[in-house]
């Protein structure tokens, strides 16, 4: 059985924590920031975890990370 290939797009967007959960950055923080409140932009800076429903699919894309 050959080795699995890592999905390079997913590897740039997700990382795995020490406990095995998948970390992601939040969306809607790249442009059109003038209409967004300071509080909202500040919250968007923080990383969060991938939802449990999607975690298995994401882990399949990044098998060696």
């Amino acid at each position: 059985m050959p080795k699995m290939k890592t999905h390079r797009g997913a590897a740039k967007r997700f990382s795995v924590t020490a406990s095995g959960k998948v970390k992601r950055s939040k969306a809607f923080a790249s442009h059109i920031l003038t209409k967004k409140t300071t509080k909202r932009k500040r919250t968007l800076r923080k990383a969060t975890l991938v939802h449990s429903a999607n975690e298995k699919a994401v882990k399949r894309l990044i098998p060696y990370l």
Side-chain angles (χ1 to χ4, degrees):
M1 188 89 183
K3 285 194 272 186
M4 286 178 68
K5 284 195 174 183
T6 300
H7 189 289
R8 297 314 297 165
K12 292 167 190 173
R13 287 168 173 83
F14 303 104
S15 61
V16 182
T17 62
S19 61
K21 294 173 183 168
V22 184
K23 197 166 62 169
R24 68 169 178 89
S25 57
K26 291 183 180 168
F28 307 108
S30 57
H31 65 120
I32 316 174
L33 298 170
T34 49
K35 62 176 82 169
K36 293 167 190 165
T37 63
T38 310
K39 181 182 177 182
R40 184 172 163 197
K41 288 185 279 191
R42 190 166 57 243
T43 312
L44 288 171
R45 279 188 224 134
K46 298 169 186 167
T48 185
L49 297 175
V50 170
H51 195 272
S52 56
N54 302 319
E55 199 168 354
K56 188 179 175 184
V58 174
K59 278 187 173 179
R60 203 176 290 134
L61 295 172
I62 48 171
Y64 305 111
L65 295 184

